[in-house]
Amino acid sequence: MKNISKETISQMDKIEKLNLINSCTGFKSANLIATKSIEGNTNVAIFSSVTHLGSSPSLIGFIIRPTTVPRDTYKNIMETGYFTVNHITIDMIADAHHTSANYDSGISEFDKTNLEEEYKDGYNIPFVKGSPVQLYCKYVNEYIIKENDTIHIIASIEHVFFDETLEHKDGWLQLDKGNIVALNGVDGYFLPKLIDRFQYAQQNVPTKSFKKDKE
């Protein structure tokens, strides 16, 4: 097994280092975060850092890179307090990836891709049309990660919208039914497939498979 030390990593070419460190931690979620400024300008950007933080209350978090340059996503959330998280499907990946391009502040990625804004009654913030799972979220708090000046945004899930074909009777959403992709690194897109699902783990009780119970 190959071994690369911290010292070797520090001397790597920027792109090689980025690819290695972004991919070695494993698969990540792939989401489009959509926002809107108080002037009405929309923005949509791909994020691989959206994570579940808790169910009661329902909280998520994601990382904003240092605000030493304009970050429309951050600016818009600070202005309105709301944003949407939209899962990316296999049909969206080229356009979703393009949202990482460095456009000038105020230019909407919706206008530069085939991604379409979707508005629901009573919501002023856009969703991404065609996304099978969409979250409407409210800003709660933020924490500066002093080691690299990134910002950990904490938000509450105010509403969940999803394609009903994904839902199981116990509320679980089977994402592979919606052709929802995951990221490996910053540019590798994968289509996960369900292998098995297991019942709640208990001490001294053998792990039980839902799949085997149905056989």
Side-chain angles (χ1 to χ4, degrees):
M1 181 173 283
K2 189 171 184 178
N3 176 15
I4 302 178
S5 68
K6 179 179 179 181
E7 290 72 24
T8 301
I9 292 171
S10 68
Q11 297 170 12
M12 281 182 171
D13 171 78
K14 178 182 177 181
I15 299 301
E16 184 182 10
K17 183 196 304 183
L18 181 152
N19 284 334
L20 174 63
I21 300 305
N22 272 280
S23 62
C24 72
T25 53
F27 292 107
K28 297 175 286 187
S29 62
N31 291 286
L32 288 165
I33 292 183
T35 60
K36 195 174 191 179
S37 71
I38 55 174
E39 295 85 13
N41 297 320
T42 61
N43 180 266
V44 62
I46 190 169
F47 282 81
S48 62
S49 59
V50 176
T51 54
H52 161 86
L53 296 180
S55 301
S56 290
S58 301
L59 296 175
I60 63 166
F62 71 96
I63 300 297
I64 294 280
R65 287 182 292 173
T67 54
T68 50
V69 298
R71 304 286 182 197
D72 284 350
T73 296
Y74 182 70
K75 169 183 172 290
N76 294 349
I77 291 173
M78 292 300 100
E79 289 179 352
T80 68
Y82 292 91
F83 61 95
T84 67
V85 175
N86 306 267
H87 286 19
I88 298 169
T89 69
I90 190 171
D91 296 327
M92 296 179 182
I93 56 176
D95 287 311
H97 190 75
H98 190 78
T99 66
S100 63
N102 189 24
Y103 286 107
D104 290 339
S105 181
I107 294 178
S108 175
E109 291 79 6
F110 281 114
D111 295 332
K112 298 297 181 178
T113 66
N114 291 316
L115 299 171
E116 296 183 46
E117 299 174 28
E118 178 186 1
Y119 289 92
K120 302 182 190 295
D121 291 342
Y123 301 87
N124 188 44
I125 307 298
F127 296 82
V128 177
K129 186 176 181 180
S131 175
V133 179
Q134 305 166 327
L135 312 178
Y136 182 73
C137 300
K138 180 181 180 181
Y139 171 90
V140 173
N141 206 346
E142 65 182 62
Y143 297 91
I144 305 298
I145 300 175
K146 62 182 181 180
E147 287 77 10
N148 62 0
D149 292 326
T150 56
I151 304 171
H152 192 191
I153 299 293
I154 311 299
S156 63
I157 299 175
E158 301 291 305
H159 294 275
V160 181
F161 301 89
F162 57 86
D163 185 331
E164 293 182 14
T165 62
L166 308 182
E167 186 181 22
H168 285 234
K169 290 182 179 180
D170 62 357
W172 183 64
L173 301 183
Q174 187 174 337
L175 301 184
D176 62 338
K177 286 186 174 181
N179 287 324
I180 292 169
V181 300
L183 268 166
N184 179 203
V186 295
D187 54 14
Y189 294 84
F190 288 76
L191 190 62
K193 182 176 176 58
L194 176 66
I195 298 172
D196 205 342
R197 188 181 178 212
F198 294 91
Q199 296 179 3
Y200 185 80
Q202 301 180 60
Q203 294 183 27
N204 303 315
V205 177
T207 302
K208 293 183 179 180
S209 164
F210 280 111
K211 184 177 180 180
K212 287 184 179 179
D213 282 350
K214 291 180 179 180
E215 292 176 350

